[in-house]
Amino acid sequence: MPSAFVHTRWFTSASRAWKPKTRNTYRSVLDRLVLAHLGAVPLAKLKPIVVANWVGALTDQVSASQVRQAYRLLSQIMTSAVDNDMIPVSPCRRIRLPRLPESHPEILTVAQVNQLAARCELGDHVLILLLAYGGLRIGEALPLRRRHLDVDGGTVLIAEAVTELPGGPVIDTPKDHHRRELPVPAFVVSLVSRLLATLPDDPEAFLFPGRQAHTTHRQQSYHGFRRRFTAAAAAADGLSDVTPHDLRATHATWVADSHGVMVAAHRLGHANASVTTRHYARAVDGRDAEVAKHLDKLGTEPAPRSGTQRARRPRKGSP
């Protein structure tokens, strides 16, 4: 196809800066949703109406997020084609995309988090508390090693993240390559110390090693933890729909409510607080009423003026 050159060269160039998971995801989206539908269309005939029809067809087949992801890839490829004088203007313009559904994470109370953790053995117990009281991504928590934990200082260093790919897990830097040192509550540190006492005295030892004898040299898999987490949640009161990711949203909500969104964004590793409010932090029920009561204490009802006000004579020249 005439456009094969531009999408191949674009992907090769752009993917150099991507993390393995992003590269794997975008390759799949490009092959399944872009090239499978538009691969036979000559570049010169790829007009806005063709792109609009493609978006409409995809909307009937896949989720809104996948449609928007596919469109974003096509738009970047077409921008590259314009930049390289292959076409005069991009066909990806004024295209109506499907709206993303509202995300509604489950926000837990402290009692619910404790109930969930109490149903797990020590390793999963500590992992759940780190997610809820530290706001770590699950991919940041699983590859934690002994050298990342400062028990005396009460901090956790977020320096690595693991991604599950078809070829196996890959450990890389955290999202956006953003390392951060995270203070955690003292009672969580105490439990981390108990867990460390059961592990090899090696700086590279994983805090959450694989469960099988031949996998203790690497971190445990997310899928294994997810199965145990789901079983614990199903056995707890009212928590059957809770996921591990909800614990990160729970942390964001707790911190945003007590210390503000900017602090929550910093703890979650977000460069932009809008990401925190859009995907994680949620308003806590009843806080609006508390705000009204607080403002009621700050102000007093102004007393009405006594007597009858005399109408003011309009100034000369006023309408």
Side-chain angles (χ1 to χ4, degrees):
M1 108 186 215
S3 60
F5 173 82
V6 66
H7 78 69
T8 300
R9 287 297 181 90
W10 171 83
F11 189 89
T12 300
S13 176
S15 63
R16 293 192 183 102
W18 297 341
K19 287 185 170 294
K21 182 178 180 180
T22 302
R23 188 181 305 114
N24 183 75
T25 299
Y26 282 7
R27 182 72 256 180
S28 175
V29 170
L30 183 61
D31 291 340
R32 290 184 301 107
L33 302 181
V34 180
L35 298 180
H37 294 259
L38 300 175
V41 180
L43 190 58
K45 294 185 179 296
L46 201 55
K47 304 298 183 182
I49 186 63
V50 176
V51 175
N53 288 337
W54 166 68
V55 167
L58 281 187
T59 302
D60 294 334
Q61 301 171 24
V62 299
S63 67
S65 61
Q66 289 191 70
V67 174
R68 296 173 75 93
Q69 197 172 51
Y71 177 80
R72 186 165 61 249
L73 284 181
L74 179 65
S75 180
Q76 292 178 25
I77 293 169
M78 292 301 101
T79 297
S80 178
V82 172
D83 291 343
N84 286 278
D85 300 321
M86 301 179 73
I87 51 176
V89 64
S90 170
C92 297
R93 58 187 192 274
R94 292 186 290 277
I95 305 297
R96 184 182 293 275
L97 299 175
R99 295 183 62 179
L100 290 172
E102 286 286 333
S103 174
H104 297 288
E106 192 78 24
I107 305 303
L108 280 64
T109 64
V110 170
Q112 288 174 322
V113 170
N114 292 341
Q115 179 192 177
L116 186 58
R119 293 181 176 275
C120 302
E121 59 187 67
L122 182 59
D124 288 348
H125 188 114
V126 171
L127 181 49
I128 286 171
L129 294 184
L130 280 175
L131 297 177
Y133 287 93
L136 284 71
R137 300 176 177 91
I138 185 64
E140 295 172 339
L142 289 176
L144 285 175
R145 306 171 193 262
R146 182 181 286 273
R147 61 181 168 85
H148 295 142
L149 304 162
D150 181 357
V151 174
D152 293 333
T155 60
V156 175
L157 176 63
I158 311 302
E160 295 179 328
V162 63
T163 301
E164 302 278 353
L165 295 178
V170 174
I171 295 180
D172 199 352
T173 57
K175 191 172 184 179
D176 299 325
H177 309 283
H178 184 201
R179 292 165 56 104
R180 64 191 190 280
E181 193 171 58
L182 193 67
V184 294
F187 78 93
V188 177
V189 175
S190 177
L191 286 168
V192 168
S193 297
R194 284 179 52 193
L195 181 57
L196 286 173
T198 68
L199 301 175
D201 188 15
D202 178 357
E204 297 301 316
F206 286 105
L207 183 62
F208 307 108
R211 294 299 185 96
Q212 305 299 322
H214 64 285
T215 62
T216 55
H217 64 285
R218 63 172 184 257
Q219 81 292 328
Q220 65 175 264
S221 72
Y222 169 70
H223 300 295
F225 169 68
R226 175 67 184 263
R227 284 193 298 270
R228 298 190 300 275
F229 181 94
T230 301
D237 296 332
L239 301 181
S240 58
D241 294 329
V242 173
T243 68
H245 191 67
D246 289 333
L247 297 179
R248 180 167 160 85
T250 292
H251 181 79
T253 298
W254 289 354
V255 176
D257 183 58
S258 63
H259 291 80
V261 173
M262 293 302 296
V263 176
H266 177 74
R267 286 185 65 84
L268 267 63
H270 292 158
N272 192 325
S274 65
V275 176
T276 310
T277 53
R278 187 166 65 249
H279 296 294
Y280 296 94
R282 293 294 181 270
V284 176
D285 290 342
R287 296 299 276 180
D288 278 345
E290 291 180 23
V291 170
K293 290 180 181 179
H294 173 68
L295 295 177
D296 192 46
K297 294 177 182 178
L298 294 181
T300 57
E301 182 180 350
R305 294 183 60 179
S306 60
T308 303
Q309 286 189 348
R310 189 168 56 184
R312 297 177 62 184
R313 180 178 299 173
R315 290 181 299 175
K316 189 175 182 180
S318 61

